[in-house]
Amino acid sequence: MISDIEAQGIRDRLAGTLDAVAEAARVSGRRPEDVALVAISKFHPADAVRAAYEGGQRHFGENYIQEALAKQDELADIDISWHFTGRLQSNKAKFVPDRFGLLHTLDGSKLAQALHKRLAATCAPTLDVLIEVNLGGEGQKAGVEESELSALAEEVLGLSTLRLRGLMLLPPFDLTPEQRRPLFARLRELRDKLEPSLGAKLPDLSMGMTDDFPEAVMEGATIVRVGTRIFGPRPVKQ
């Protein structure tokens, strides 16, 4: 359980984050309502999520399936839009249908086909997905390579159970926010080139976190994923 003081701290930091996102949007000539905030609640207890919900937040992101499912069950009495923002193994695709409104981290054909098979078998609603693109050249990170993006996007568009909404980026952590900005711009450029070739609109760009969301918004982010700025330092995973 978190204390009342901790809960109020979460709500206060949430309000400050929403103000900062809105200001970044205005500075870049965009409307604040065109940028959605996803509160990344991984490792934080369900009570922390509830506190943010009471502060007006509705979109929450989780990185680990089992943690997410437990939290969803505990918070089943409130209407949350859940996003899956972590790396998803194809053998855990069965847990995503009906549990998440948006998958940010589709990174290959194997996962796309696993999701399609599960969704088709269960007659679950169409799942909105983003393709994660690895622009930092980090071998240990998930994400499709830029050269493979078009083929994967075409494949996903051909799967009736998936709805491709756009792209997602997780840049290298050792870069400064200004050094990440060209990567944010590159993701936007890739989206802009992909749309006419696919003949489909890709409205969403999920990019930007606690320390770099203003730069991401200025380069076109429509979704920012912020955790520490809202919830405070992340507890150590047990």
Side-chain angles (χ1 to χ4, degrees):
M1 295 285 292
I2 63 172
S3 68
D4 291 343
I5 292 175
E6 290 172 319
Q8 188 58 52
I10 289 171
R11 289 190 286 270
D12 290 344
R13 291 191 296 273
L14 170 64
T17 301
L18 287 168
D19 286 345
V21 172
E23 179 60 19
R26 283 190 287 267
V27 168
S28 60
R30 302 168 63 201
R31 300 181 306 168
E33 57 266 32
D34 290 338
V35 183
L37 171 66
V38 175
I40 303 299
S41 45
K42 70 175 182 180
F43 301 164
H44 290 281
D47 286 344
V49 175
R50 190 178 294 276
Y53 181 89
E54 291 169 351
Q57 181 64 20
R58 294 296 180 265
H59 294 268
F60 293 86
E62 289 286 334
N63 283 43
Y64 299 98
I65 283 291
Q66 295 305 325
E67 179 186 356
L69 298 183
K71 217 170 282 183
Q72 289 172 356
D73 290 344
E74 190 170 346
L75 296 168
D77 60 309
I78 55 179
D79 185 20
I80 287 177
S81 177
W82 292 100
H83 297 235
F84 194 78
T85 55
R87 191 169 193 172
L88 181 65
Q89 296 175 332
S90 57
N91 64 352
K92 293 188 177 179
K94 62 185 178 182
F95 296 112
V96 173
D98 293 326
R99 288 283 195 161
F100 298 92
L102 179 62
L103 171 67
H104 290 235
T105 52
L106 181 61
D107 63 354
S109 175
K110 183 178 180 181
L111 178 56
Q113 293 295 336
L115 288 166
H116 173 65
K117 182 178 180 181
R118 179 65 179 179
L119 286 156
T122 59
C123 297
T126 302
L127 176 66
D128 287 348
V129 299
L130 304 174
I131 292 178
E132 181 178 0
V133 187
N134 185 347
L135 293 180
E138 298 174 283
Q140 76 277 18
K141 267 191 188 165
V144 64
E145 297 296 326
E146 183 176 333
S147 61
E148 300 169 347
L149 172 59
S150 180
L152 179 58
E154 288 181 2
E155 179 179 356
V156 173
L157 282 178
L159 299 175
S160 60
T161 60
L162 302 181
R163 185 168 68 151
L164 182 59
R165 296 286 301 169
L167 307 178
M168 179 267 207
L169 174 66
L170 184 63
F173 292 118
D174 59 354
L175 299 181
T176 66
E178 250 337 285
Q179 289 172 329
R180 294 173 191 169
R181 190 162 177 171
L183 297 179
F184 297 145
R186 180 59 182 159
L187 193 73
R188 185 190 69 246
E189 292 165 359
L190 287 173
R191 187 275 309 274
D192 291 347
K193 287 177 60 179
L194 202 55
E195 285 184 330
S197 68
L198 295 175
K201 296 296 290 183
L202 304 176
D204 287 320
L205 293 174
S206 172
M207 55 189 192
M209 298 183 293
T210 286
D211 61 345
D212 60 12
F213 69 82
E215 288 79 7
V217 170
M218 291 175 192
E219 294 298 342
T222 64
I223 302 171
V224 294
R225 313 179 305 271
V226 180
T228 302
R229 183 184 172 107
I230 298 170
F231 293 107
R234 191 168 290 137
V236 177
K237 184 180 180 182
Q238 300 297 321

